[in-house]
Amino acid sequence: MVAVPGHSAFSGPSQRPVSKARLKQSVCRWPFAKIPLPEFCKAVADMGLTAIDLLTEAEWPVAREFGLTCSMGSGFGGTIVDGLNVKANHAKTLASLERGIPLAAANKVPNLITFFGNRRGMPDDEATANCVEALNKIKPLAEEHGVTVCLELLNSKVDHKDYQGDRSAFGIGVVRAVGSPRVKLLYDIYHMQIMEGDIIRTIRDAREHFAHFHTGGVPGRHELDATQEIQWRSVATAIVDMGFTGYFAHEFIPTRDPMTGLREAVALCDV
């Protein structure tokens, strides 16, 4: 691997943090965006990971060159602020998903991300009905192509003020009402730790509604190390012991050498 200035190069099976591989780990691209994508892909593959999260359509072929899957496609499901809770957003977002789902299937991208949107004073029952209406329209296409539409749960306390999908119960209510194996939740552990905690029990009690996980240290969304409060090895063990077969993607913002932090996170969660 060619070293990137300010970043550690590494390679070789002896340095791979993945040994058990019971949990399919991935990593989100955006926190590591300063590293050129081809070099990042090579480093990720050298770690023993098989996927990268939140790549756009144009980036999928780059990942494939290194034997990597895009575990969560982005760019087709609207925005965090303007989501499916508002009917006026449905036409544009559904048209984008209608284009994206077949493309994802053709490129072996298993998931596409979408969002609930900001409240703007909307009651939860109205938001639920609007989201279900939109998702019921897209679920036949998702089921036909075997691509899961994932709605992300985000915190409204620190990072995404006014976001409607800021509690597990709200998101679970939406996907339960849709009742499709191809409409599920992206459970971001960082966000839900901030909002409600009780991570392991929440995941166990509603495991069938979660298709994907994101990590990030609390507080600050930084490395999964001793500076923050979540017991990541316990969480990862609980998830894999439930029989979860999806992806568990690291989405922390590095405060030190980024690839060292990623390698440590992967080793910690290799349960």
Side-chain angles (χ1 to χ4, degrees):
M1 171 182 170
V2 178
V4 182
H7 304 287
S8 293
F10 63 94
S11 62
S14 64
Q15 298 184 52
R16 285 193 175 194
V18 175
S19 59
K20 300 183 181 74
R22 295 174 64 221
L23 186 62
K24 291 197 305 189
Q25 294 187 67
S26 178
V27 56
C28 293
R29 168 61 177 157
W30 69 266
F32 302 87
K34 291 182 180 179
I35 304 174
L37 183 57
E39 295 178 29
F40 183 62
C41 287
K42 185 176 189 307
V44 167
D46 285 347
M47 282 189 192
L49 298 184
T50 60
I52 298 179
D53 240 42
L54 301 180
L55 295 176
T56 63
E57 177 189 356
E59 294 171 321
W60 297 347
V62 181
R64 280 201 309 272
E65 289 177 13
F66 294 87
L68 299 169
T69 299
C70 173
S71 41
M72 179 70 66
S74 67
F76 295 102
T79 69
I80 290 172
V81 172
D82 296 317
L84 295 175
N85 61 339
V86 175
K87 285 190 177 185
N89 300 329
H90 286 184
K92 182 178 180 180
T93 304
L94 292 177
S96 183
L97 286 169
E98 285 168 1
R99 176 179 173 272
I101 287 170
L103 283 171
N107 286 274
K108 295 182 171 55
V109 175
N111 306 296
L112 291 179
I113 193 170
T114 190
F115 304 96
F116 292 106
N118 280 11
R119 282 187 179 86
R120 300 183 176 94
M122 182 180 292
D124 280 355
D125 58 351
E126 181 181 350
T128 296
N130 290 346
C131 289
V132 171
E133 179 182 321
L135 293 162
N136 277 337
K137 291 177 180 177
I138 201 65
K139 73 180 182 183
L141 187 67
E143 291 168 1
E144 176 188 349
H145 288 278
V147 173
T148 303
V149 175
C150 294
L151 297 115
E152 186 167 20
L153 297 166
L154 303 168
N155 84 76
S156 60
K157 183 178 178 181
V158 177
D159 301 291
H160 302 287
K161 302 293 185 182
D162 202 43
Y163 189 70
Q164 192 126 31
D166 62 351
R167 287 147 296 124
S168 299
F170 175 81
I172 291 165
V174 170
V175 298
R176 182 178 286 140
V178 175
S180 171
R182 292 301 173 186
V183 176
K184 294 196 177 188
L185 296 171
L186 192 174
Y187 187 95
D188 191 306
I189 298 167
Y190 160 78
H191 288 295
M192 291 300 97
Q193 172 69 6
I194 289 172
M195 293 303 299
E196 58 193 32
D198 201 18
I199 299 296
I200 291 175
R201 177 162 47 183
T202 298
I203 295 170
R204 279 179 178 156
D205 288 350
R207 67 190 73 181
E208 70 274 21
H209 300 302
F210 301 128
H212 200 85
F213 294 95
H214 278 171
T215 75
V218 179
R221 185 152 222 146
H222 297 309
E223 288 90 349
L224 311 191
D225 59 20
T227 66
Q228 52 82 60
E229 66 193 34
I230 300 174
Q231 296 290 330
W232 285 102
R233 197 161 186 85
S234 297
V235 172
T237 299
I239 289 172
V240 77
D241 284 349
M242 291 173 210
F244 178 71
T245 58
Y247 285 95
F248 182 91
H250 297 292
E251 193 183 21
F252 62 84
I253 300 168
T255 62
R256 46 189 172 82
D257 178 73
M259 301 314 294
T260 298
L262 178 58
R263 188 164 60 248
E264 290 170 356
V266 171
L268 179 65
C269 296
D270 181 45
V271 296

